[in-house]
Amino acid sequence: MRKIVILTGAGISAESGLGTFRDAGGVWSQYDLAEVATPEGFARNPALVHDFYNARRANALAAHPNAAHEALVRLERDWPGQVVLVTQNIDDLHERAGHRHVIHMHGELARALCAACGAHWPAPEKMSASDPCPECGTRATRPDIVWFGEMPYDMDLIQRHIDSADLFAAIGTSGQVFPAAGFVMQANAAGAETVELNLEPSELSGMFDIRREGPATRVVPAWVNDLLASA
Ligand code: BV8
């Protein structure tokens, strides 16, 4: 039975009230990406970066999964083949909707990382650089987030999944951030059918075989219903 690989972006959490990055009024229009989402920015001003992610962690905790997250849970549960979910998002709405396996390629607000020894642990609601690492005791705590210029997590695993996908779907992503934006080209080269579900055309729309346009809470459940009806 067909293997489905799904990539989600900020658009799937938009209707849960979490901001996207590049839409009007998006996160990157309010903050300077270089200041809050790069290692250099963290080195310059760790308190500013922790304030930025502490605020986003609070927003994410106050948000709730929406019908799009829930539809993907149904697909993972009821699809007779393998379903692999890769997300660029750092919120935990997929998990809170009940999704069992989520690959967070850009890290997670829910985890902390020691910049000295690489240890990971569950993030406190409010994190600070002076929190001591539970493993090595160093006070070099950072959010476990992949910043610009850093290697995303699980890239080898993700590439293997895409190479063996029969269907690749990108949901709610503008296709402007690499290497995630390159996944559809890899899926096409691997012979997968590719579908884009988005509120509006993205940078990569021309790379997809099929497009379903509209808000995720409408187009994702409809897409999942059609898939399960065809299973
Ligand atoms: C790296 C964590 C090198 C931070 C993020 C070519 C190859 C490789 C790298 C590069 C390259 N060219 C340039 C680069 C560098 C860079 C990059 O891509 N820059 C861009 C800006 C040009 N990439 C990197 O730095 C990556 N690392 O390359 O490392 C390396 C190599 C070897 C060894 C070591 C290192 C790391 C990138 C990861 C950065 N971190 N996130 C945080 O979240 O705070 S990326 C950031 O953008 C966000 O996290 C987000 O996840 C990601 C993607 O954004 P989207 O999810 O697409 O969101 P966006 O707002 O853009 O779009 C929203 C979409 O939703 C829209 O399409 C909209 O229409 C749609 N939508 C809105 N509402 C709805 C909706 N859809 C449906 N329903 C709705 N209701």
Side-chain angles (χ1 to χ4, degrees):
M1 177 46 80
R2 300 204 302 170
K3 173 172 179 176
I4 303 175
V5 177
I6 299 163
L7 172 71
T8 59
I12 198 169
S13 297
E15 290 161 271
S16 293
L18 294 185
T20 61
F21 292 88
R22 296 171 185 83
D23 293 322
V27 171
W28 299 142
S29 69
Q30 299 161 44
Y31 289 88
D32 175 357
L33 177 155
E35 292 302 306
V36 294
T38 62
E40 296 77 14
F42 182 68
R44 255 195 312 275
N45 189 340
L48 173 72
V49 174
H50 275 298
D51 287 350
F52 175 62
Y53 286 102
N54 286 336
R56 289 179 61 199
R57 187 172 301 105
N59 289 342
L61 283 175
H64 301 286
N66 62 51
H69 298 103
E70 288 157 1
L72 295 185
V73 172
R74 271 191 302 120
L75 185 66
E76 181 188 48
R77 189 188 61 216
D78 300 342
W79 182 251
Q82 188 181 6
V83 174
V84 175
L85 175 63
V86 181
T87 186
Q88 298 173 93
N89 299 340
I90 58 177
D91 62 60
D92 61 351
L93 295 182
H94 284 299
E95 290 87 345
R96 284 165 51 200
H99 218 101
R100 291 177 40 248
H101 304 290
V102 184
I103 299 175
H104 279 275
M105 66 180 290
H106 289 165
E108 300 173 66
L109 284 166
R111 288 163 62 82
L113 170 65
C114 175
C117 76
H120 294 89
W121 64 95
E125 269 191 45
K126 283 184 87 60
M127 194 188 296
S128 120
S130 58
D131 295 348
C133 167
E135 295 283 311
C136 74
T138 310
R139 294 175 185 279
T141 296
R142 59 168 280 182
D144 187 15
I145 304 285
V146 176
W147 286 324
F148 288 92
E150 296 186 319
M151 178 58 93
Y153 283 122
D154 298 318
M155 284 305 294
D156 292 342
L157 174 65
I158 295 169
Q159 309 286 13
R160 286 200 303 278
H161 279 313
I162 294 174
D163 281 342
S164 56
D166 298 297
L167 176 60
F168 174 79
I171 302 175
T173 179
S174 65
Q176 294 181 50
V177 175
F178 288 85
F183 291 172
V184 61
M185 285 158 253
Q186 185 188 344
N188 282 325
E193 184 183 48
T194 52
V195 56
E196 179 181 59
L197 292 81
N198 199 309
L199 185 63
E200 57 197 21
S202 76
E203 298 270 312
L204 299 171
S205 293
M207 304 291 296
F208 290 86
D209 300 317
I210 302 160
R211 295 200 65 253
R212 290 181 175 234
E213 193 158 308
T217 54
R218 181 162 56 75
V219 297
V220 178
W223 176 65
V224 168
N225 291 343
D226 290 349
L227 276 174
L228 293 177
S230 73

